[in-house]
């Protein structure tokens, strides 16, 4: 079995936390605006197609 005593993120070399945080913030922004866009699309469809 593998030894799970150490957390890989703290011991791995080359982790770029700044780039990780920027990517995550970009992902959250994409999800937020994607959700808002779908909600607006559904509202417009309900208004114009009924």
């Amino acid at each position: 079995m593998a030894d799970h005593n150490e957390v890989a993120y703290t011991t791995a070399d080359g982790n770029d936390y700044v780039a990780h945080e920027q990517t995550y913030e970009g992902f959250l922004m994409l999800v937020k605006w994607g959700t808002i866009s779908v909600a607006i699309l559904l509202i417009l469809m309900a208004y114009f197609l009924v």
Side-chain angles (χ1 to χ4, degrees), residues 29-43:
M29 186 171 52
L30 178 68
V31 169
K32 177 179 76 172
W33 287 110
T35 302
I36 291 170
S37 299
V38 169
I40 290 172
L41 179 66
L42 288 174
I43 291 168

Side-chain angles (χ1 to χ4, degrees), residues 20-36:
H20 170 74
E21 289 176 358
Q22 289 173 347
T23 302
Y24 186 66
E25 287 175 6
F27 170 74
L28 289 179
M29 186 171 52
L30 178 68
V31 169
K32 177 179 76 172
W33 287 110
T35 302
I36 291 170

